[in-house]
Amino acid sequence: MGRAGEGEEDGLPLFETRVGKKSRVAYRIFGITVFIGICMIWVYRLTHIPTAEQGRWAWIGMFMAELWFGFYWIITLSVRLNVTYRYPFKHRLITRYGDKLPAVDIFVCTADPKIEPPTMVINTVLSVMSYNYPPEKLSIYLSDDGGSEFTFYALMEASQFSKLWIPFCKKFRVEPRSPAAYFSQNFNQQNPKLAEEWLATKKLYEDMKFRIEAATEKGRLSKEVKDQHKGFLEWNSQVTKQDHQSIVQILIDGRKPSAVDDDGHQLPTLVYLAREKRPQCPHNFKAGSMNALIRVSSEISNAPIILNLDCDMYSNDSDAIKEALCFFMDEKHGHKTSYVQHPQSYNNITKNDIYSNVASTTNLIELAGIDGYNAALYCGTGCFHRRESLCGLKYSENYRGELKNSVCDTKKDRTVHELEQGSKILANCSYEKGTQWGKEMGLMYGCPVEDIITGLTIQCRGWKPVYYYPETRKAFLGIAPTTLDQALVQHKRWSEGMFQIFLSKYCPFIYGHGKIKLGAQMGYCVYLLWAPCSFPTLYYVTIPSICLLRGVALFPEASRTNLGLFYGSTFALSLMA
Ligand SMILES: O=c1ccn([C@@H]2O[C@H](COP(=O)(O)OP(=O)(O)O[C@H]3O[C@H](CO)[C@@H](O)[C@H](O)[C@H]3O)[C@@H](O)[C@H]2O)c(=O)[nH]1
Ligand SMILES: [Mn+2]
């Protein structure tokens, strides 16, 4: 990429915000016509309530359902009118900040070695270790809520494998940098050097995968394996998933001159964490693990930017950190940015996508529409945070938000042992007692969708988060539910959790009143009101069919002109979706 003259580039912004096509005047006019149609349906229902007993209640029920659909349509319209897209300029960032980029801490969460196999977890870890970013500024933390020695073993294997994987990725500009995803692609390279190294690296990856899977299957680790690292001493017969002490092991200490890859380049820091779990102590699920990660990382590397990922979501673009930093480091607006959220995209979409995991309306329109009101939702993964805003800082006009050129200078003089001991205390159950963790600091507790509620509170403290949908290459790819029971469990948890927020004191119309724009409050409710939408929908799909069988008319007769209204409005609504 040609470097433009530095003087010329100086004053230019690091990102741009453009209004989406659909926000144009024609779309507004279209919206108004649909609204008129909806009002006419309401009027028709009200003025034609049957006087006879038969069908009266069914009619009123239809009216209620249509009232709800109309109301819900209005709140969805609020986000459709304001769709905006963001465009970062990473080359300007590199020209301007080159070697002054901030340190970044990356959190990966896992909770169960059976559901989330250790090989999948380390693929995510390896993909983020090999980011196209100065490795001395990267620290990767794996939080293992399963407290499993197999996950620890897999991470130890990954720390060894990274020594050749990172140079391989950088030399051949490999994408994506998750070995499993990369090796599953068709390989048709003419470059003989790459072909040779490709084969050798693939073989080593597969050997490692085999060792990990064999150990997991066997259900125990051999003595030779356990002798390789002092960390295994933490596991004894008393350690179970629900009951164990804090375990913190720094597998790679990025400060050490000996922590280098096969090409002699520095390696990123790599830390394993299993926070303390006791049966009598609530662990607060993922929110609890994220808060332990925030504290432990502040002890070890304390980077001002945090990337948070689920273990099933690997990095698909090695430049994603630089792109996200454009939103934080822009001289004019960057200091207001609390987090940069990417859409949730998946790499296991089936042909017919029967559970609608692609969610293109959500990702391309609704989330971008809420962002138009500076209120991007936090979705729990694929999100870059400013540490300060995540820890509860309120935005103020005087806030400068400089992202220091930090390479954890303050911790230079502390040994690995001291850092591990210090971190363990921070990951203890008792640490949070009587503190603001889970309330004002870190992720919020007590809600099944800790991400949405945490994002809302951050915005209400004055920050302006960003939603970024990269046009060319998706930054992260995850694994979507592929069976009915998985999809049902996930949707039930989401809709229940979100409705719970609506009914609590955090309802955006109350909590967000005067703090975030009305459009943003309505935008939140598109999701928070998912659950109650099921009642009118159920009503609408069952009652008219029953009434039809009994000969009760709920719709105007075909000869009447207003029949067109029903079909017309339905057609227009589907067009807008
Ligand atoms: O006690 C727990 C439970 C879960 N997790 C991790 O949290 C992530 C998400 O959990 P999962 O069970 O996979 O839930 P999903 O429904 O797939 O998660 C989506 O929805 C959640 C709630 O909104 C968000 O937190 C997630 O980021 C988002 O991907 C996974 O990496 C888990 O390993 C923990 O670390 N500790
Ligand atoms: Mn998941």
Side-chain angles (χ1 to χ4, degrees):
M1 181 50 74
R3 281 166 71 107
E6 272 182 41
E8 189 187 307
E9 287 265 301
D10 259 359
L12 296 176
L14 291 181
F15 73 91
E16 203 172 86
T17 306
R18 282 186 225 149
V19 177
K21 279 191 229 111
K22 280 204 170 178
S23 304
R24 301 235 171 95
V25 180
Y27 191 76
R28 284 169 198 243
I29 296 173
F30 182 53
I32 293 169
T33 56
V34 174
F35 183 61
I36 294 171
I38 292 175
C39 289
M40 286 164 83
I41 293 177
W42 285 341
V43 171
Y44 174 82
R45 280 278 175 230
L46 255 183
T47 51
H48 289 73
I49 299 176
T51 40
E53 195 58 38
Q54 205 199 16
R56 195 182 161 87
W57 285 110
W59 186 279
I60 293 173
M62 291 297 278
F63 179 47
M64 294 295 167
E66 280 155 3
L67 262 184
W68 174 269
F69 290 139
F71 162 73
Y72 193 73
W73 176 80
I74 292 169
I75 59 169
T76 58
L77 189 70
S78 73
V79 297
R80 277 151 209 264
L81 288 179
N82 211 17
V83 178
T84 54
Y85 296 107
R86 314 281 194 158
Y87 301 88
F89 303 111
K90 65 179 173 204
H91 299 291
R92 288 184 191 162
L93 178 95
I94 298 164
T95 323
R96 214 170 292 167
Y97 292 103
D99 52 359
K100 295 195 283 293
L101 293 170
V104 178
D105 285 347
I106 303 178
F107 299 171
V108 178
C109 292
T110 184
D112 191 323
K114 295 225 165 63
I115 304 171
E116 302 162 333
T119 37
M120 177 186 80
V121 177
I122 59 160
N123 268 289
T124 301
V125 169
L126 284 163
S127 76
V128 294
M129 283 180 84
S130 40
Y131 263 127
N132 204 355
Y133 201 75
E136 66 278 9
K137 296 186 180 185
L138 282 183
S139 305
I140 291 95
Y141 295 83
L142 175 69
S143 155
D144 178 17
D145 267 356
S148 157
E149 58 182 335
F150 298 104
T151 307
F152 178 71
Y153 166 57
L155 196 65
M156 190 194 77
E157 285 275 4
S159 71
Q160 318 261 331
F161 182 67
S162 69
K163 290 182 186 162
L164 81 154
W165 177 246
I166 299 176
F168 174 74
C169 288
K170 294 198 174 162
K171 200 178 331 162
F172 298 109
R173 295 169 186 240
V174 159
E175 292 290 357
R177 297 191 175 181
S178 141
Y182 175 68
F183 290 124
S184 67
Q185 294 173 348
N186 286 336
F187 183 73
N188 53 359
Q189 264 292 335
Q190 305 306 322
N191 178 351
K193 184 92 186 82
L194 170 59
E196 188 187 314
E197 286 200 32
W198 186 92
L199 262 178
T201 315
K202 184 167 192 263
K203 162 114 188 26
L204 285 167
Y205 168 70
E206 267 162 11
D207 289 349
M208 169 181 76
K209 187 173 164 214
F210 176 79
R211 285 195 299 276
I212 297 170
E213 284 175 356
T216 317
E217 221 162 88
K218 228 199 256 164
R220 73 181 175 81
L221 295 167
S222 65
K223 188 167 176 310
E224 295 87 78
V225 165
K226 289 190 174 182
D227 286 345
Q228 284 176 38
H229 201 281
K230 66 170 181 25
F232 289 107
L233 294 173
E234 298 274 2
W235 278 269
N236 54 39
S237 54
Q238 264 105 58
V239 169
T240 64
K241 183 182 172 185
Q242 291 84 12
D243 197 357
H244 62 81
Q245 76 288 8
S246 292
I247 304 172
V248 180
Q249 290 293 323
I250 301 180
L251 283 159
I252 301 177
D253 177 9
R255 306 166 305 169
K256 265 198 200 151
S258 59
V260 287
D261 63 28
D262 286 357
D263 276 1
H265 297 298
Q266 198 70 39
L267 282 168
T269 294
L270 180 65
V271 180
Y272 173 89
L273 160 73
R275 63 195 165 116
E276 185 186 17
K277 287 264 195 85
R278 299 292 173 206
Q280 68 279 12
C281 185
H283 57 77
N284 295 305
F285 305 93
K286 183 179 169 192
S289 100
M290 282 288 293
N291 288 348
L293 278 164
I294 295 174
R295 293 194 298 271
V296 167
S297 65
S298 73
E299 178 79 3
I300 298 173
S301 48
N302 202 21
I305 298 290
I306 290 169
L307 163 62
N308 129 234
L309 287 178
D310 287 353
C311 60
D312 58 4
M313 194 171 228
Y314 63 85
S315 152
N316 187 51
D317 178 359
S318 57
D319 265 345
I321 299 185
K322 288 180 185 154
E323 294 210 327
L325 283 178
C326 293
F327 300 105
F328 290 104
M329 299 187 76
D330 178 77
E331 289 77 7
K332 199 159 166 215
H333 300 289
H335 64 290
K336 300 176 204 158
T337 308
S338 48
Y339 56 81
V340 176
Q341 174 69 55
H342 284 258
Q344 293 216 25
S345 308
Y346 305 102
N347 77 338
N348 64 332
I349 298 299
T350 49
K351 188 164 154 258
N352 296 322
D353 187 27
I354 50 173
Y355 304 121
S356 186
N357 289 315
V358 173
S360 41
T361 313
T362 307
N363 289 341
L364 272 168
I365 299 172
E366 291 173 351
L367 294 178
I370 302 177
D371 186 35
Y373 298 106
N374 287 321
L377 302 192
Y378 168 36
C379 302
T381 176
C383 190
F384 289 86
H385 285 274
R386 183 187 292 275
R387 183 183 285 269
E388 288 176 322
S389 61
L390 191 58
C391 286
L393 184 77
K394 263 200 179 121
Y395 176 78
S396 78
E397 289 299 325
N398 310 325
Y399 179 74
R400 298 283 313 281
E402 261 175 39
L403 296 172
K404 287 186 213 91
N405 176 25
S406 45
V407 198
C408 47
D409 288 334
T410 45
K411 313 279 150 109
K412 277 242 157 73
D413 48 338
R414 297 182 61 192
T415 64
V416 166
H417 181 73
E418 282 168 348
L419 289 177
E420 284 175 353
Q421 293 311 316
S423 307
K424 275 184 185 172
I425 300 166
L426 303 175
N428 281 348
C429 291
S430 55
Y431 187 84
E432 292 185 345
K433 278 206 188 108
T435 68
Q436 287 302 311
W437 284 100
K439 294 179 206 141
E440 296 285 320
M441 292 171 79
L443 276 87
M444 305 271 293
Y445 292 158
C447 179
V449 283
E450 75 299 322
D451 42 2
I452 303 286
I453 194 165
T454 304
L456 176 67
T457 55
I458 291 176
Q459 278 155 43
C460 290
R461 289 199 289 261
W463 298 94
K464 302 219 177 333
V466 164
Y467 171 71
Y468 173 45
Y469 188 103
E471 255 183 353
T472 42
R473 201 179 164 83
K474 294 197 169 110
F476 306 102
L477 285 179
I479 296 178
T482 47
T483 59
L484 181 64
D485 56 336
Q486 283 174 353
L488 281 178
V489 166
Q490 192 183 55
H491 283 90
K492 180 174 165 287
R493 186 157 49 82
W494 283 350
S495 42
E496 235 176 51
M498 290 196 281
F499 193 43
Q500 194 179 315
I501 300 177
F502 184 82
L503 297 178
S504 73
K505 68 170 185 177
Y506 293 101
C507 173
F509 290 124
I510 301 164
Y511 186 75
H513 181 72
K515 294 181 188 142
I516 56 174
K517 293 180 185 154
L518 179 65
Q521 296 169 20
M522 288 162 81
Y524 261 97
C525 291
V526 172
Y527 296 99
L528 303 192
L529 293 175
W530 254 8
C533 271
S534 58
F535 294 110
T537 309
L538 254 169
Y539 189 90
Y540 226 80
V541 296
T542 51
I543 301 298
S545 347
I546 297 171
C547 286
L548 183 74
L549 290 176
R550 294 178 153 212
V552 178
L554 291 178
F555 293 96
E557 274 170 32
S559 58
R560 296 218 191 133
T561 42
N562 41 9
L563 181 73
L565 208 83
F566 277 91
Y567 290 124
S569 304
T570 320
F571 177 66
L573 282 173
S574 59
L575 262 186
M576 292 185 87

